[in-house]
Amino acid sequence: MNLALGLLLYGTAVALFGPPILRRLTRRGVAPRLGVTAWLVAIGGALGSWALAAGVLVVEFAAIWRHPGEALQACYAVLSTPAHPHTATAAKVVTFVVSALVIAGVTAIVAHVATVAVRLRRHTHRHGRAVRMVGRRMPDLGAVVLDSPEPQAYCVAGRPDTIVVTTAAVDALTGEQLAAVLAHERAHLRGRHAALTGILRSTAAALPAVRVVTEGSAEIGRLLEMCADDRAAHSHGPASLLGGLLALLDAAAPAPAGALHAAGTAVLARAERLVAPVGVVARARNRTALLGVIATTVIGLSEITVGVLFCSALMN
């Protein structure tokens, strides 16, 4: 039970203190790929700790079924639990109720995440098929051109992956701007960003009160756009990409759910970093801080798990 308590407290600490620290370090997108990793490690550290704590609780409470007296005495000695059941029947009832609640809660969360993820995946696949049927495939662009008065460019993951650009966007952008915007969307598809954002959004929908998940999902989505910006700017220059993003910013119609829209997330912040990139020293300082946060999260979880397991082995 001390292992479960340690994991629970560690996960709670990561969930409470991780978001404000990471928000400060990733706000400007100095190192977006490393920022995505740091947020994922924080989310995984918090949820992983809680999941392990739930598993340990189920295993340890299950021991009450076999040895009710010894298990409850151990819990009382370690945590000073003011529980004094007088019969093995009461212990069995406690075992059943706690185990059932923990298993039911974890199962409900996993099922909700899976349901939302599958629904979103089906929606994007249907939209991709519809766009390929209605639009015109342009091999020279590597995209499907869709007749629309709204200037839009977005990508939809599916079988196959599809980049969609509207006729209004083709008319509004110069050749180099269009190439930069399409490179941005190809970077999303190569990096499997749609799958990652889909999983994170599904998890955030299942755990709306857990800030490290909800804020992490939004921040990772913003950082992934910056990652794609960097790939496109490297190929076509920041000026072309910036011009393309600003030209698409006036689109009134939102992109479909599950799609990654070039001008759909934090465009002003992205424009600022394209116009005024940080210096080498600031970049190195930011990367060092992010690596420190990642190392602290991983090492902390490892040390708690190994240390408490070792103590438990000595006690047994």
Side-chain angles (χ1 to χ4, degrees), residues 38-111:
W39 274 106
L40 289 176
V41 168
I43 294 171
L47 298 185
S49 297
W50 292 337
L52 286 173
V56 170
L57 280 174
V58 171
V59 172
E60 291 198 7
F61 273 107
I64 301 175
W65 190 273
R66 297 190 301 270
H67 307 288
E70 295 179 6
L72 289 177
Q73 288 174 8
C75 290
Y76 183 82
V78 174
L79 299 178
S80 298
T81 304
H84 301 282
H86 300 288
T87 65
T89 302
K92 292 179 181 180
V93 171
V94 171
T95 301
F96 177 79
V97 171
V98 173
S99 301
L101 288 176
V102 171
I103 294 172
V106 174
T107 302
I109 292 172
V110 173

Side-chain angles (χ1 to χ4, degrees), residues 72-156:
L72 289 177
Q73 288 174 8
C75 290
Y76 183 82
V78 174
L79 299 178
S80 298
T81 304
H84 301 282
H86 300 288
T87 65
T89 302
K92 292 179 181 180
V93 171
V94 171
T95 301
F96 177 79
V97 171
V98 173
S99 301
L101 288 176
V102 171
I103 294 172
V106 174
T107 302
I109 292 172
V110 173
H112 190 281
V113 171
T115 300
V116 175
V118 169
R119 187 184 303 128
L120 185 62
R121 179 184 175 89
R122 288 176 178 171
H123 177 79
T124 55
H125 283 199
R126 282 197 302 268
H127 181 79
R129 286 194 298 269
V131 166
R132 289 191 294 272
M133 290 175 60
V134 176
R136 302 186 304 277
R137 190 179 298 276
M138 304 292 288
D140 54 330
L141 296 179
V144 172
V145 177
L146 192 65
D147 291 328
S148 173
E150 299 290 343
Q152 284 188 319
Y154 59 88
C155 64
V156 179

Side-chain angles (χ1 to χ4, degrees), residues 184-306:
H184 173 98
E185 300 302 337
R186 281 193 291 272
H188 278 315
L189 295 176
R190 291 195 187 106
R192 302 296 179 187
H193 295 171
L196 177 58
T197 55
I199 294 172
L200 289 172
R201 289 170 184 170
S202 303
T203 307
L207 301 169
V210 182
R211 287 177 53 198
V212 71
V213 177
T214 55
E215 293 187 19
S217 176
E219 289 297 312
I220 288 173
R222 186 175 64 88
L223 291 169
L224 288 177
E225 291 294 340
M226 294 178 178
C227 291
D229 285 345
D230 289 345
R231 293 288 297 271
H234 179 75
S235 306
H236 301 279
S240 298
L241 177 61
L242 180 59
L245 293 177
L246 295 179
L248 297 176
L249 189 58
D250 294 331
L260 296 178
H261 185 195
T265 303
V267 177
L268 295 180
R270 291 157 57 197
E272 181 182 356
R273 70 186 293 271
L274 288 172
V275 172
V278 301
V280 176
V281 176
R283 185 180 299 272
R285 186 166 59 245
N286 184 265
R287 292 178 67 88
T288 301
L290 286 172
L291 287 172
V293 171
I294 294 171
T296 301
T297 306
V298 174
I299 294 173
L301 178 59
S302 302
E303 287 187 349
I304 289 176
T305 305
V306 173

